[in-house]
Amino acid sequence: MFSGLSLVGSAQADSDSKATSLPRAVDIYSQEQLIDMIRDKSYLIRVKGDKCQLVQDIEARAEVLKQPLYQYLWAEMLSHGICVKANPPRGISMLRDAAEQGSAEAMVRIAEYYHDGKFVIQDRQRAVQYVLPAAASGDLPARMMLVKLFGEGYGSPRDYEMGYHWLYNDVFSDEATKQEAVKLLKVLAAKMPPSAVERARQEHLRSQ
């Protein structure tokens, strides 16, 4: 059940497939692959592209082994009806389980849902509550999301300086992400006293 390869038969391939042979066996995704797919939001496309061969493996790792990244993936498949019947209540519940295990990726995703009001009633203050622990742990997407929410006026103004400090002093792997961070910081800076912005830009944040 938990082998490295899934050899699910052609019954799980797309119904309109004209192939006469079994689909190519697909390797189960590594933790590193999952992180990359989550970061670039390609995970659902990948699961469909692999012709749903890994559904049983993904479900087992999420429901039985309770691996957070697979809980995230399985949750998204359930919420959006990818390779399985759509079940958003179960999907969001599974995403919360992953967040409770400390998955920064799950925290950010739930925050996005509360920010946009998708599957749940829009509540951007709750989005801040979900994403703040992930930002504190050093997760860059979480810090971007937190500063975005602060810039929109959500969360406590007492935390703006801390959020600004985290993102301003982070390290970026690509120019596009850095430029997006600059834009978010500019919006947040407009809501902060100049002295607070100056403190937040220091390498080590000091209390007033």
Side-chain angles (χ1 to χ4, degrees), residues 53-95:
Q53 290 187 68
L54 296 178
V55 171
Q56 292 178 346
D57 293 296
I58 293 168
E59 180 182 11
R61 283 166 171 75
E63 300 280 6
V64 181
L65 298 181
K66 301 188 182 304
Q67 297 176 359
L69 289 179
Y70 273 96
Q71 288 179 316
Y72 179 110
L73 179 58
W74 182 235
E76 288 287 271
M77 290 168 64
L78 288 168
S79 293
H80 296 277
I82 301 301
C83 299
V84 294
K85 183 178 179 180
N87 187 348
R90 178 58 183 152
I92 297 301
S93 176
M94 178 65 64
L95 203 58

Side-chain angles (χ1 to χ4, degrees), residues 131-149:
V131 83
L132 185 56
S137 74
D139 186 71
L140 178 56
R143 290 178 172 183
M144 300 273 284
M145 183 69 179
L146 183 66
V147 170
K148 176 181 179 179
L149 286 160

Side-chain angles (χ1 to χ4, degrees), residues 143-164:
R143 290 178 172 183
M144 300 273 284
M145 183 69 179
L146 183 66
V147 170
K148 176 181 179 179
L149 286 160
F150 284 168
E152 293 173 351
Y154 300 98
S156 170
R158 292 176 299 178
D159 294 330
Y160 289 0
E161 187 175 331
M162 178 177 61
Y164 189 106

Side-chain angles (χ1 to χ4, degrees), residues 97-167:
D97 288 346
E100 288 173 4
Q101 287 203 67
S103 169
E105 295 77 19
M107 294 178 199
V108 172
R109 192 62 176 141
I110 296 176
E112 290 173 343
Y113 284 141
Y114 275 109
H115 179 275
D116 299 336
K118 186 173 180 64
F119 300 127
V120 295
I121 294 174
Q122 188 178 62
D123 187 339
R124 292 177 177 173
Q125 295 290 359
R126 186 173 294 183
V128 172
Q129 294 170 12
Y130 267 106
V131 83
L132 185 56
S137 74
D139 186 71
L140 178 56
R143 290 178 172 183
M144 300 273 284
M145 183 69 179
L146 183 66
V147 170
K148 176 181 179 179
L149 286 160
F150 284 168
E152 293 173 351
Y154 300 98
S156 170
R158 292 176 299 178
D159 294 330
Y160 289 0
E161 187 175 331
M162 178 177 61
Y164 189 106
H165 171 78
W166 284 340
L167 188 56

